[in-house]
Amino acid sequence: MTAPLTPPPPPHEPSPHTAWPPSPGGYAGVATAPHDVAYGQDGPGMKTELREAAVITVAVALAGALLGLLWVWLAPKVPLVGDLVDDNWVVYFKDTEGEQAIGVDGTFTLLALACGAVSAAAVFLWRRRGGVPLVIALAVGGFLGSLLAWRLGVWLGPESDVIAHAQSAGKGVTFSAPLKLGAKGALLAWSFAAALVHLGLTALFGPRDPDPYQAQLGVPKDGYGAPMG
């Protein structure tokens, strides 16, 4: 006898109506892609970041008033003396070898660096994350705050008209020179310190990018992206 020439049955193919087994992400028929694991953890959104950056810029710029007051209070005084020569008033330095003028610039620079570090730390403690808008806001706000501090210090400091000041003080009487910022590069000290400190704090204590493979396996993470347990 001969066996019937019946072809073997075809391999079983899944029906379009057959449900796929659940994926590690918990959804049937949908494979979890590594880049989808961290969805929603990239930040609050560009509009929110820009809004926060605008608030930070204004707040840091207004803080320049404090820098101006500290500069007027802590900056060394440059002594001047007025004299009357041929019925004309002349003003000269009482101490020609003094370093008070350099101290005025140095005081402004050190205070600006301190304000930059404090403002960067305050912003980081407020947001607990980095971001280009925050760094730009700190840099721009620091520069505007330095400009405000400079002009406020000149306005609140000794009289800028040294001839009139010498006339009111009298011949041979010592009086203080007006505040003058000779090194204009000091206006960038706040911005430099704020950006550097904020980037450093973000690198040390900021949130870490989650590992997509560990997240896919369901490994729990803490708020900084480190595995728990």
Side-chain angles (χ1 to χ4, degrees):
M1 297 180 62
T2 59
L5 301 177
T6 304
H12 176 70
E13 295 181 359
S15 172
H17 302 288
T18 303
W20 290 86
S23 63
Y27 297 94
V30 180
T32 304
H35 64 274
D36 293 335
V37 176
Y39 180 79
Q41 299 179 0
D42 294 335
M46 183 57 65
K47 289 185 178 180
T48 303
E49 288 187 353
L50 292 178
R51 192 182 307 114
E52 293 174 351
V55 173
I56 291 172
T57 301
V58 174
V60 173
L62 293 178
L66 177 60
L67 173 59
L69 295 176
L70 292 174
W71 187 40
V72 174
W73 180 36
L74 298 176
K77 307 301 181 183
V78 180
L80 300 178
V81 175
D83 196 4
L84 191 60
V85 179
D86 296 333
D87 296 332
N88 293 321
W89 280 93
V90 294
V91 178
Y92 53 90
F93 289 103
K94 182 178 181 180
D95 185 6
T96 56
E97 297 181 357
E99 298 180 354
Q100 292 88 348
I102 300 176
V104 172
D105 293 346
T107 301
F108 186 94
T109 303
L110 292 177
L111 290 174
L113 291 174
C115 289
V118 171
S119 61
V123 170
F124 179 78
L125 291 176
W126 176 45
R127 297 308 303 147
R128 283 288 183 177
R129 60 177 177 80
V132 175
L134 297 183
V135 177
I136 294 177
L138 283 171
V140 175
F143 179 70
L144 296 177
S146 297
L147 288 177
L148 176 61
W150 172 37
R151 301 313 304 171
L152 183 63
V154 172
W155 180 56
L156 294 178
E159 186 178 351
S160 58
D161 189 349
V162 293
I163 298 296
H165 200 173
Q167 291 176 350
S168 62
K171 180 180 178 180
V173 178
T174 302
F175 62 96
S176 298
L179 281 179
K180 180 181 178 181
L181 188 62
K184 297 302 187 292
L187 296 174
L188 300 176
W190 189 329
S191 302
F192 176 77
L196 186 63
V197 172
H198 189 269
L199 290 175
L201 291 175
T202 303
L204 292 175
F205 307 107
R208 301 292 188 267
D209 293 334
D211 189 348
Y213 300 102
Q214 291 185 353
Q216 187 175 6
L217 295 175
V219 178
K221 300 289 190 64
D222 59 12
Y224 297 96
M228 296 178 61

